[in-house]
Amino acid sequence: QVQLVESGGGLVQAGGSLRLSCAASGRTFSNYGMGWFRQPPGKEREFVATITSSGSRTSYADSVKGRFTISRDSAKNTVYLQMNSLKPEDTAVYYCAAAYARTTVKEREYDYWGQGTQVTVSS
């Protein structure tokens, strides 16, 4: 089992920044590709970003490319999502997820999920 706990969400004005954290515990963190997803109000959950188990490669949704940065700190068993130039359309519940021995943009291929953290961007 892997337990994932997100933090760092909140209310921010458009153009502002937030950094989300996802602390992992349980099985070996370095064996897992990590991803961030989000679910806007009234919409399906969607891919945001992913990072390989080594942290050497990342991938982003077009809607956040150039504004968001995913990273991981293996010593702290934590993955981060730095969000800059936030827009009202970034308002969503943000989830982190872990995929054993893979890096993927597909929600169904993730094995473990956090409980989510709310991000609200006001205009």
Side-chain angles (χ1 to χ4, degrees), residues 30-89:
S30 60
N31 289 340
Y32 289 81
M34 300 296 295
W36 285 97
F37 289 75
R38 66 185 182 186
Q39 187 167 19
K43 297 184 178 180
E44 298 284 319
R45 191 156 56 185
E46 62 186 22
F47 167 75
V48 175
T50 188
I51 188 167
T52 57
S53 57
S54 66
S56 61
R57 285 181 292 145
T58 58
S59 180
Y60 298 92
D62 287 343
S63 59
V64 306
K65 203 170 292 184
R67 300 188 298 121
F68 290 12
T69 303
I70 187 171
S71 62
R72 63 191 296 163
D73 184 336
S74 294
K76 296 182 178 179
N77 284 1
T78 299
V79 63
Y80 302 98
L81 186 68
Q82 178 67 44
M83 305 186 295
N84 298 330
S85 302
L86 282 161
K87 305 174 182 180
E89 51 263 44

